[in-house]
């Protein structure tokens, strides 16, 4: 087991990639705090699965887009599990809409959850880890769209681009404390965020056609990388982005 005895908080883990990461962490020996915003029931079901694996599991609801709530979430996880070695900032939202139609409300929602939430959860956990003096791991679930353009998703791409530079910059301040910060950049993964495409045969074929691997990824294929980045083995890995995208970010028609 690669995370034996570790204690982790995974935001947005009531479904999709976050859920897969929380489960994999438990399988690798970690106690896990599950976070949800709307999915309380699935979060509690996930806690039951974590407990079945013989690990401690707890679930907390919070809107991480509000700094005080991100802070409170970290404090609650520390209190329930004793301390935290690992934070996975996975909570994320997206809206597909033309730039000309983007409202301030949508802008705030996407930037608050995807960027501000990750920023302040990282700050809260880093304060705790520095005080504890035992190092730690912060893993941000970003997107290939922290680097690759994403038509009609300006808010999402801006939030993930921000996450990229946050990671690259904050790693310098936290490295002396033995805390690493890295981004995982998934491409198209079969999760609820891609529901619209998954439910439409033609859209699905179009999407598969721009993925060199010819298929969407599975949440568990992202979780494997999260385990590595969260483990002791990755102590010298910090400030970078790792793609899990079946080659999507390098797709080109070659015309
Ligand atoms: C988005 C998905 C999209 C994928 C590939 C992800 O970051 O959340 O909606 O399918 O990138 O474009």
């Amino acid at each position: 087991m690669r995370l034996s005895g570790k204690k982790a908080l995974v935001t947005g883990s009531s479904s999709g990639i976050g859920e897969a990461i929380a489960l994999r962490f438990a399988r690798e020996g970690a106690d896990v705090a599950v976070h949800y915003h709307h999915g309380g029931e699935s979060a509690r079901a996930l806690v039951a699965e974590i407990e079945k694996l013989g690990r401690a599991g707890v679930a907390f609801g919070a809107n991480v887009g509000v700094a005080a709530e991100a802070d409170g979430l970290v404090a609650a996880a520390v209190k329930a599990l004793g301390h935290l070695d690992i934070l996975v900032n996975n909570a994320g939202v997206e809206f597909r809409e033309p730039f000309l139609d983007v409202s301030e409300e949508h802008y705030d929602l996407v930037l608050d959850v995807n960027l501000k939430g990750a920023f302040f959860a990282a700050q809260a956990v880093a304060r705790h880890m520095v005080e504890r003096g035992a190092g730690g791991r912060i893993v941000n679930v970003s997107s290939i769209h922290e680097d690759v353009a994403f038509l009609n998703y300006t808010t999402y791409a801006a939030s993930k681009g921000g996450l990229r530079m946050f990671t690259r910059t904050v790693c310098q301040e936290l490295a002396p404390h033995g805390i690493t910060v890295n981004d995982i950049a998934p491409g198209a993964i079969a999760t609820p965020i891609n529901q619209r495409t998954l439910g439409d045969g033609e859209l699905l074929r179009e999407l598969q056609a721009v993925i060199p691997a010819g298929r969407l990824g599975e949440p568990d294929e992202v979780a494997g990388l999260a385990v590595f980045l969260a483990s002791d083995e990755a102590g010298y890995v910090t400030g970078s982005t790792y793609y899990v995208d079946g080659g999507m970010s390098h797709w080109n028609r070659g015309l």
Side-chain angles (χ1 to χ4, degrees):
M1 287 203 278
R2 296 156 80 193
L3 302 177
S4 233
K6 304 282 185 196
K7 298 180 188 282
L9 165 63
V10 184
T11 71
S13 47
S14 60
S15 70
I17 293 172
E19 181 182 12
I21 290 176
L23 254 187
R24 269 292 270 276
F25 277 14
R27 284 204 184 103
E28 295 288 348
D31 294 335
V32 186
V34 171
H35 156 259
Y36 64 92
H37 189 204
H38 298 297
E41 220 167 282
S42 358
R44 281 183 287 277
L46 179 57
V47 165
E49 283 193 62
I50 290 168
E51 286 171 343
K52 256 193 252 157
L53 292 165
R55 307 308 320 168
V58 279
F60 299 108
N63 175 4
V64 292
V66 176
E69 290 198 37
D71 225 73
L73 172 65
V74 169
V78 167
K79 192 163 176 220
L81 299 181
H83 70 266
L84 282 175
D85 303 287
I86 303 160
L87 166 70
V88 179
N89 277 314
N90 169 78
V93 291
E94 66 184 35
F95 287 106
R96 181 177 194 273
E97 57 194 356
F99 169 62
L100 297 184
D101 295 341
V102 174
S103 63
E104 183 177 1
E105 193 193 349
H106 277 186
Y107 174 94
D108 284 345
L109 180 56
V110 175
L111 272 289
D112 283 356
V113 174
N114 299 6
L115 182 57
K116 186 178 166 191
F119 186 105
F120 283 103
Q123 186 190 58
V125 90
R127 284 175 175 161
H128 161 73
M129 288 168 174
V130 168
E131 198 185 304
R132 221 182 135 238
R137 301 277 180 268
I138 299 172
V139 179
N140 299 317
V141 178
S142 176
S143 165
I144 60 167
H145 302 299
E146 67 164 46
D147 190 40
V148 176
F150 199 15
L151 183 68
N152 288 322
Y153 288 87
T154 43
T155 48
Y156 185 79
S159 72
K160 297 298 186 179
L163 202 49
R164 174 187 180 89
M165 285 314 298
F166 168 59
T167 293
R168 291 178 177 209
T169 302
V170 78
C171 84
Q172 298 180 74
E173 289 184 50
L174 297 181
H177 301 281
I179 302 168
T180 65
V181 192
N182 291 287
D183 280 13
I184 294 179
I189 309 296
T191 72
I193 217 168
N194 281 306
Q195 223 163 16
R196 179 177 143 269
T197 311
L198 288 166
D200 179 323
E202 200 166 316
L203 279 183
L204 185 58
R205 272 188 295 281
E206 268 184 54
L207 178 58
Q208 285 164 341
V210 299
I211 302 171
R215 63 172 177 88
L216 275 75
E218 291 303 322
D220 213 41
E221 294 182 288
V222 181
L225 178 58
V227 168
F228 170 69
L229 291 173
S231 73
D232 287 341
E233 267 184 301
Y236 201 60
V237 179
T238 196
S240 291
T241 295
Y242 301 88
Y243 288 76
V244 186
D245 70 347
M248 186 180 188
S249 51
H250 300 299
W251 180 83
N252 187 283
R253 283 178 74 192
L255 297 175

